[in-house]
Structures are given as C-alpha cells and as structure tokens.
Amino acid sequence: MRIEKIKNRGILFTHINPEWNLNIYLIIGKKQNYIIDTGLGSLSIAPINEYLKNHNKQTIVINSHHHWDHIWGNNSLRNSTIISHKLCSEMIESKWKDMMQKNKQYCYGEVEMYLPNLVFENELYFPEDKIRLFHTPGHTLDSISVLDEEEKVLFVGDNIGDSMDEIIPSIYCDKDVYISTMKKYKEIDFDTCISGHNIVLKKEVIGKILSMM
C-alpha cells in the first residue's frame, strides 16, 4: 500500500497490483472525515482505519460507482454513513453474485455485501467541509464525482482510465453521456484530479480526453 499526501487534507492510499493499481481517497475535513471508495475488502480498509485511529470524528464513506473493486470494503465500514447514487445501491444488489463469481480471486480480506445507507440522485453537499458529491455518468450510469472545493481536488472515480496509455475508460453508457460529463468537469474550478486507478493528474487531462473523443 502506497500512502501519499495530497495538498493539505487529502491522503491517497494506493493498492499496488500487477494488473492495475487501486486508489482509495481520504479527506480529513473540519467536521467529518470522508473515505471515497472501499477497495477489495477488509484489508483494503485496514490502513485507513489505522491512519484514522487518532481522529475522533464521524466518517462518511462514499462509493463512486457499483463495480466490485470500489465497494467490497463497505462491510468493514458498516458503522459509518455510506453514500452513493441511487442507481449504485440498486446495481450492487442486483449484480453482487455475478461480480463475486467472476472476481473472487481479488478478494482482499473479508468481503460481505453491505449496501449504501444514504443515496441521492443529483447532488449532495456538506457545507461545513465544502465537499460536493454530484452525479457524473460516464464509465457507468451510476458514477458520481466528489469535489473538495476548499482544496480544488476532484475525485472522478473511473471516469478516467487506468493508465496514461488508456486514459479513456471502458464506457458502459452512451458515448455522448460520457462527453457531457467531461464537459461538465471543464466548467468546474479544480486543479488536481484523482481517479480510481490512475496516477494523480492535473485538470488538463480533461481537455486531452475531449480531444480524443
């Protein structure tokens, strides 16, 4: 596990895998802490829990979308509020058995289905910490992004591909929907971009993706 400080209040935990790296992003807010995605199981969450053991605040957990590598650690954080798009919760439940059967070799520690317990459709805002969650379909129909307005850091989930060689991700919806989300990103005030698998990038990557579409 690689741990990297991002600006003043972000910590990026990266699980190094021969096939692809996997990011979990933690924001230390003034009022609450925010964990974005939960990885491959309980062992993905263990380093985050260790990091937070001296931070006596409520923890908010966010699922960027329903894919297995972003939600398998939910059960290890079941005492927290776990937030997702409404579609995400529905898709986790309907696709759980299939995702487990096809990908069980990637389980990292204990894995048990635990659904988000707070869902939204368009946008959710935490004003005390200036954290904004909003629907950004593209990689999947249920994908959301998280903007740290204070630090100008945008977490885009898998709306950016796994590497610089494959910067456009697999798209499980209409291509025009994905392009619309990329255009939305261009209008947002941020300078640092974090995704589910890639390295830390600058906002310029959005223009690069649009030029390739």
Side-chain angles (χ1 to χ4, degrees), residues 169-186:
S170 301
I171 300 172
Y172 300 96
C173 65
D174 191 272
K175 181 180 176 181
D176 288 342
V177 173
Y178 178 76
I179 292 172
S180 178
T181 286
M182 291 297 111
K183 290 179 177 177
K184 179 186 290 187
Y185 288 156
K186 281 201 75 175

Side-chain angles (χ1 to χ4, degrees), residues 86-107:
K86 182 176 181 290
L87 288 174
C88 177
S89 181
E90 295 170 359
M91 295 169 90
I92 292 172
E93 189 167 25
S94 65
K95 296 176 181 291
W96 180 267
K97 288 183 180 179
D98 185 57
M99 290 193 294
M100 282 296 295
Q101 288 174 356
K102 291 180 178 178
N103 304 288
K104 60 185 177 182
Q105 70 270 25
Y106 295 107
C107 288

Side-chain angles (χ1 to χ4, degrees), residues 6-23:
I6 307 295
K7 296 195 176 182
N8 295 311
R9 63 177 188 172
I11 301 93
L12 182 62
F13 295 81
T14 303
H15 178 79
I16 308 299
N17 187 298
E19 297 175 62
W20 31 256
N21 293 341
L22 180 63
N23 295 323

Side-chain angles (χ1 to χ4, degrees), residues 96-128:
W96 180 267
K97 288 183 180 179
D98 185 57
M99 290 193 294
M100 282 296 295
Q101 288 174 356
K102 291 180 178 178
N103 304 288
K104 60 185 177 182
Q105 70 270 25
Y106 295 107
C107 288
Y108 192 44
E110 296 179 7
V111 175
E112 183 179 334
M113 185 172 71
Y114 191 79
L115 298 175
N117 46 42
L118 175 61
V119 299
F120 71 99
E121 293 194 47
N122 296 314
E123 187 172 296
L124 193 60
Y125 189 54
F126 295 88
E128 301 91 345

Side-chain angles (χ1 to χ4, degrees), residues 152-197:
K152 297 186 178 181
V153 175
L154 180 66
F155 186 94
V156 301
D158 282 3
N159 277 339
I160 288 179
D162 295 359
S163 69
M164 293 307 293
D165 292 331
E166 297 179 354
I167 203 164
I168 298 174
S170 301
I171 300 172
Y172 300 96
C173 65
D174 191 272
K175 181 180 176 181
D176 288 342
V177 173
Y178 178 76
I179 292 172
S180 178
T181 286
M182 291 297 111
K183 290 179 177 177
K184 179 186 290 187
Y185 288 156
K186 281 201 75 175
E187 300 302 315
I188 294 172
D189 184 18
F190 75 98
D191 55 36
T192 302
C193 184
I194 295 174
S195 64
H197 301 280

Side-chain angles (χ1 to χ4, degrees), residues 129-145:
D129 292 317
K130 297 182 179 179
I131 300 294
R132 187 178 302 276
L133 286 60
F134 55 105
H135 188 208
T136 49
H139 172 61
T140 59
L141 284 173
D142 64 312
S143 292
I144 63 172
S145 298

